[in-house]
Amino acid sequence: MNPFNELGIRHDIVNAITELGFEKPTPIQESAIPVLLSGSNDFVGLAQTGTGKTAAFGLPLLELIDYKKNFPQALILCPTRELCLQISNDIKNYAKNLPNVSVVAVYGGANIVNQLRDIKRGVQIVVATPGRMKDILNRKAIDFSQVSYVVLDEADEMLNMGFQEDIDEILATTPSTKKTWLFSATMPREVRAIAQNYMTDPKELTMGTKNTGNVNIEHEYYIVKARDKYAAFKRIVDYNPEIFGIVFCRTKIETQEIAESLVKDGYNADALHGDLSQQQRDKVMKRYRDRSLQLLIATDVAARGIDVNDVTHVINYSLPDEIENYTHRSGRTGRAGKTGISIAIINSKELHKIRQIEKVIGKQFSKAEIPSGFDVVEKQLFGLVHKVNQVEVNDQQIDQYIPRIMVEFADMSKEDIIKRFVSLEFNRFLEYYKGARDLNATADDRGDRKERGERSERGARGGSAGFTRLFINLGAVDDFTRGDLLGYICNNTGISGRSVGKIDMKGVFSFFEVEEEHVQKVIDAFKPIDFHGRDVRIEISGESSGGRDRRSSGGERRSGGSFGGERRNSGEDRRSSGGFGSGERRDRNSGGGFRDFSGKRKEDRKDGASSREGGRRRRNN
Ligand code: ADP
Ligand code: MG
């Protein structure tokens, strides 16, 4: 038996939500539903993002509606079209076993004629954005004189968007006996004011501590120089090949630009903001919900309240102007009990904002390091290996080619073949990240001082004190062990094992430390050898101090190393030239959409509309 029954929800509805995976009520549902079912109070429900507030009001509404009466009995107001569609779909899903419920979604940008027709057919629950709702009321196309319940979802955002007057006008058409319910994740001043303006003696329920963030979300920040932000962001994405993320920018223009750059660089990204046509917004949302889009680049407004399953990362490309918005942003992940990561990419001057946010969400951020080029390459490599392992083979189609392919590879060992296939994809990354700089900037922060200390312990060339760190292009995948390495060094140079420091075996390469005085000897010892027919490349590692070191040791580099070639001028900032993707990363099919509205952006700029969203400007949604 599903505990929702005991809360007073009828079987038909419980069966429907059980199918949706609701096995037991969330805390806000458990507390709010009995109160709301009494239908006797105004109500304020504060609960973290992703804790099921929609059902907390949606289920009681479905219980309280009189299905025999065919007029509007409940009105739900929310800030955006996306949220409006989401809420109306959710409620329709809860109600799918009930024969006579009619829910209509009313929002701007879509054909009003269809909405008017739906309303005319008879509607019991209206889900609406304020602007369009007011238009419809002005046309006298709907009668709210018998509305019993009004729900304000994400009310503060509606006010931010300048909908106050519309809301006032809409509510003035509802009877004074109606009950008003407000749901929010945060309780900024605005929400407090709404409670005072629109409600009488509301019952207030707060789940957890007020304004605190979702416990299932980990918060991390990265400190980079402003000019490295885009490159750093790409590294984070590259380091997480399975990312399914929402990236927040502060303005529509920034949102659009980042999305365009990402697409150019071969990522599967698209933008969602208020300057897109409604069709474009719908298309983007649909692609993201279907997971055919990997990165959704969005403004605060556009993504408020959005519920997409299994978002792995929220990335704050720019921090929000208003701290509350951080909670709403990060709350797009870690929903329905799942976990998620919220990342902020900041410059050192913004650290105080992180501290402010920490106070508001009641949780600490951890400082994270932008992964080095090597880390990314390794991660991508094993991502690829994993994919190869998991790929579905279509025997029927491929069989016809196999004999010819076998002939091609007849003289190669399994190991060689694997290496070649992997290198094919992998060389691109390696090329892109070769000599990649360290993008971490330091900050005047206590936590960072320790780190600087750690670094200064290292020798000038980036190893432990007195040691130099070397790179070698042999690693675990070569069946090349620590012992092999140590043995070779000792046997061929005569230095003792004690002169060799930390050995860090990676996938296709390794790092090891050698006492500074022996470095040249070790490098020379490796020069003449090959490893199973493969050129061995050894050089001083520039990992911790960036490309400069490597360049200075460039004399060691032999061209034609096994990783495929000469070092190009390393440049993550090769935005325009396309980075490693060059638009050809096949797994990230860059979908369309951008061409359609690039014209619009120019206009946007011409207007001088710096168009900071979240301003008090009125937008039609
Ligand atoms: P909020 O408005 O609090 O941010 P939503 O109402 O959008 O959260 O719900 C977040 C997610 O949790 C949705 O995907 C929803 O289907 C799911 N959900 C809601 N209630 C339950 C429940 N009782 N059990 C399992 N999942 C639930
Ligand atoms: Mg919600």
Side-chain angles (χ1 to χ4, degrees):
M1 170 124 152
N2 190 318
F4 274 104
N5 284 310
E6 283 148 42
L7 286 180
I9 304 298
R10 71 186 73 184
H11 280 288
D12 284 342
I13 297 178
V14 174
N15 288 343
I17 61 175
T18 305
E19 268 179 52
L20 296 176
F22 294 19
E23 282 161 15
K24 57 179 192 341
T26 63
I28 181 72
Q29 290 162 359
E30 189 163 28
S31 312
I33 290 173
V35 178
L36 297 178
L37 280 179
S38 77
S40 57
N41 283 95
D42 282 352
F43 183 87
V44 174
L46 297 175
Q48 293 159 1
T49 55
T51 55
K53 292 189 283 295
T54 315
F57 62 75
L59 300 178
L61 282 184
L62 286 172
E63 287 297 330
L64 292 166
I65 298 293
D66 185 344
Y67 299 111
K68 291 188 287 296
K69 295 182 176 151
N70 213 8
F71 54 75
Q73 300 165 54
L75 166 65
I76 300 163
L77 291 175
C78 61
T80 62
R81 167 196 180 97
E82 283 75 24
L83 199 50
C84 182
L85 286 167
Q86 185 176 293
I87 294 169
S88 58
N89 282 335
D90 284 350
I91 293 180
K92 282 177 195 164
N93 282 333
Y94 310 153
K96 78 170 195 194
N97 299 329
L98 304 176
N100 294 313
V101 189
S102 83
V103 182
V104 170
V106 163
Y107 46 86
N111 192 337
I112 197 168
V113 176
N114 296 340
Q115 294 176 359
L116 292 171
R117 193 192 52 218
D118 289 347
I119 289 167
K120 210 160 185 182
R121 275 197 204 133
V123 48
Q124 292 147 334
I125 301 177
V126 180
V127 187
T129 54
R132 175 58 63 89
M133 194 68 256
K134 197 190 78 172
D135 286 352
I136 288 178
L137 277 167
N138 286 345
R139 293 174 186 229
K140 309 233 176 310
I142 198 162
D143 174 13
F144 281 159
S145 65
Q146 299 189 74
V147 161
S148 307
Y149 306 97
V150 171
V151 179
L152 303 173
D153 195 28
E154 309 287 359
D156 58 321
E157 188 66 54
M158 289 194 278
L159 295 193
N160 276 336
M161 293 172 74
F163 281 134
Q164 169 106 47
E165 278 171 34
D166 292 350
I167 295 174
D168 288 345
E169 280 180 47
I170 293 164
L171 294 188
T173 68
T174 63
S176 56
T177 51
K178 58 133 192 316
K179 301 300 169 213
T180 305
W181 305 346
L182 182 152
F183 282 83
S184 181
T186 58
M187 187 69 163
R189 266 196 318 281
E190 290 94 332
V191 175
R192 181 67 60 201
I194 299 163
Q196 269 156 12
N197 287 346
Y198 296 106
M199 299 186 199
T200 34
D201 196 18
K203 190 160 172 45
E204 185 177 317
L205 264 183
T206 303
M207 295 296 117
T209 320
K210 217 169 266 181
N211 286 339
T212 53
N214 183 324
V215 290
N216 295 319
I217 304 170
E218 297 275 343
H219 303 267
E220 294 176 351
Y221 68 88
Y222 293 83
I223 302 185
V224 299
K225 296 211 172 70
R227 64 181 154 85
D228 289 333
K229 198 153 134 178
Y230 181 72
F233 164 61
K234 286 206 303 182
R235 264 199 215 174
I236 294 169
V237 172
D238 286 343
Y239 190 70
N240 293 283
E242 303 299 322
I243 193 168
F244 180 58
I246 302 184
V247 181
F248 282 93
C249 298
R250 242 177 42 222
T251 64
K252 294 179 217 172
I253 290 176
E254 190 185 44
T255 304
Q256 187 65 34
E257 284 177 352
I258 297 298
E260 283 180 15
S261 298
L262 285 171
V263 169
K264 271 194 213 126
D265 288 350
Y267 294 85
N268 183 9
D270 212 336
L272 183 76
H273 58 72
D275 280 353
L276 305 183
S277 76
Q278 295 298 349
Q279 287 90 320
Q280 287 169 326
R281 285 169 71 156
D282 285 352
K283 227 165 93 189
V284 171
M285 266 323 287
K286 180 168 188 315
R287 286 174 58 219
Y288 191 63
R289 282 190 199 281
D290 293 348
R291 293 182 155 258
S292 54
L293 195 64
Q294 198 175 12
L295 294 170
L296 179 71
I297 323 298
T299 55
D300 287 295
V301 176
R304 175 67 83 96
I306 292 293
D307 179 59
V308 175
N309 288 338
D310 302 321
V311 170
T312 60
H313 292 74
V314 164
I315 298 181
N316 290 266
Y317 189 80
S318 298
L319 285 174
D321 288 328
E322 288 172 42
I323 291 185
E324 270 84 18
N325 272 335
Y326 181 84
T327 303
H328 293 289
R329 287 177 172 192
S330 56
R332 295 316 104 214
T333 185
R335 299 179 72 75
K338 307 229 176 70
T339 56
I341 298 175
S342 175
I343 285 173
I345 306 174
I346 61 168
N347 62 53
S348 54
K349 289 195 203 88
E350 289 176 306
L351 203 60
H352 73 280
K353 284 195 195 165
I354 295 289
R355 302 296 171 231
Q356 277 176 323
I357 293 171
E358 283 177 337
K359 278 194 202 118
V360 170
I361 63 175
K363 270 193 98 173
Q364 298 264 305
F365 277 70
S366 48
K367 180 174 186 296
E369 297 276 317
I370 301 285
S372 69
F374 287 115
D375 292 340
V376 173
V377 169
E378 189 183 53
K379 197 69 184 274
Q380 286 284 348
L381 175 66
F382 285 98
L384 173 67
V385 168
H386 181 72
K387 252 192 226 160
V388 169
N389 212 343
Q390 303 286 313
V391 74
E392 226 171 89
V393 174
N394 185 337
D395 287 316
Q396 241 182 356
Q397 295 296 318
I398 199 88
D399 274 354
Q400 52 183 317
Y401 305 108
I402 290 296
R404 268 157 64 201
I405 295 172
M406 291 311 252
V407 172
E408 284 273 341
F409 290 124
D411 295 335
M412 274 183 230
S413 70
K414 172 180 167 186
E415 196 188 329
D416 277 336
I417 295 172
I418 291 176
K419 271 188 213 163
R420 277 165 194 252
F421 270 97
V422 169
S423 299
L424 204 61
E425 181 78 11
F426 179 58
N427 286 344
R428 259 206 297 267
F429 277 99
L430 200 75
E431 190 61 26
Y432 177 70
Y433 276 111
K434 211 183 273 173
R437 282 181 303 126
D438 180 0
L439 297 181
N440 293 289
T442 45
D444 304 323
D445 182 36
R446 264 162 285 121
D448 297 314
R449 230 170 280 146
K450 178 173 148 263
E451 185 194 88
R452 272 207 297 270
E454 274 168 14
R455 240 178 233 164
S456 61
E457 267 171 37
R458 293 188 164 180
R461 283 154 145 189
S464 306
F467 282 82
T468 293
R469 192 162 146 94
L470 298 178
F471 162 93
I472 186 166
N473 65 337
L474 297 174
V477 298
D478 300 299
D479 273 335
F480 177 73
T481 65
R482 280 193 177 76
D484 292 341
L485 181 68
L486 205 57
Y488 186 86
I489 295 171
C490 297
N491 294 337
N492 291 281
T493 62
I495 67 174
S496 110
R498 256 172 298 146
S499 300
V500 180
K502 246 186 279 165
I503 299 179
D504 190 7
M505 303 289 285
K506 303 272 187 184
V508 291
F509 48 81
S510 310
F511 296 101
F512 62 98
E513 295 176 343
V514 174
E515 273 179 349
E516 268 156 26
E517 52 188 298
H518 300 305
V519 168
Q520 200 52 49
K521 229 184 290 172
V522 171
I523 289 175
D524 291 342
F526 277 95
K527 269 195 176 153
I529 68 156
D530 65 38
F531 186 83
H532 297 313
R534 191 169 130 196
D535 253 358
V536 173
R537 192 156 55 80
I538 183 168
E539 62 193 52
I540 294 171
S541 154
E543 191 199 39
S544 65
S545 38
R548 277 160 290 126
D549 271 7
R550 298 187 82 200
R551 211 156 296 160
S552 65
S553 68
E556 259 85 60
R557 173 181 294 276
R558 268 184 278 155
S559 58
S562 310
F563 291 136
E566 306 286 358
R567 162 133 129 265
R568 260 193 265 142
N569 225 352
S570 82
E572 317 217 41
D573 299 321
R574 271 190 257 147
R575 261 210 227 184
S576 48
S577 71
F580 56 77
S582 311
E584 28 170 288
R585 271 169 71 182
R586 275 158 275 133
D587 53 334
R588 295 194 166 141
N589 52 323
S590 53
F594 288 100
R595 275 145 262 118
D596 309 345
F597 49 75
S598 53
K600 200 158 187 186
R601 259 178 58 228
K602 273 186 216 123
E603 236 168 71
D604 194 12
R605 283 210 187 102
K606 209 168 43 207
D607 293 349
S610 65
S611 62
R612 255 204 46 225
E613 289 206 39
R616 318 267 142 180
R617 224 157 38 80
R618 167 63 193 280
R619 248 165 277 113
N620 35 338
N621 250 288

